[in-house]
Amino acid sequence: MKKGTITLIIFLIVGLITGIIVGQLLASVPALSFLTKSVPITWQPKADLQVIKYDIDLMIRLNLCSILGLVGGFFLYRKL
């Protein structure tokens, strides 16, 4: 089976979503609060080109569980 960029992106997105869900499930456990503390990352590209104007606001809230999900998705992709 040929691995491609789209497959990698799908694995990373699924790993990220899985990590977010696990992080939300573990949020009620006080001993594991270090896994669920989130850090927001924002990016706000904008331009006015006289013909078209855009303003995009992207925000990602990463925690340790979501990063572990990304790493897990990457390792599953490598095993494919």
Side-chain angles (χ1 to χ4, degrees), residues 35-47:
L35 291 174
T36 59
K37 184 177 180 183
S38 296
V39 175
I41 299 172
T42 59
W43 182 46
Q44 300 173 337
K46 57 177 118 176

Side-chain angles (χ1 to χ4, degrees), residues 5-73:
T5 307
I6 301 294
T7 308
L8 174 63
I9 291 172
I10 290 171
F11 270 85
L12 291 177
I13 289 173
V14 169
L16 180 66
I17 291 172
T18 304
I20 291 170
I21 291 171
V22 169
Q24 288 179 348
L25 292 174
L26 294 176
S28 61
V29 180
L32 300 175
S33 65
F34 68 95
L35 291 174
T36 59
K37 184 177 180 183
S38 296
V39 175
I41 299 172
T42 59
W43 182 46
Q44 300 173 337
K46 57 177 118 176
D48 186 4
L49 305 173
Q50 299 299 326
V51 176
I52 188 169
K53 180 179 181 180
Y54 66 89
D55 185 9
I56 301 171
D57 186 20
L58 300 172
M59 184 173 84
I60 298 173
R61 297 189 64 107
L62 289 178
N63 58 23
L64 193 55
C65 285
S66 61
I67 292 172
L68 291 174
L70 278 173
V71 170

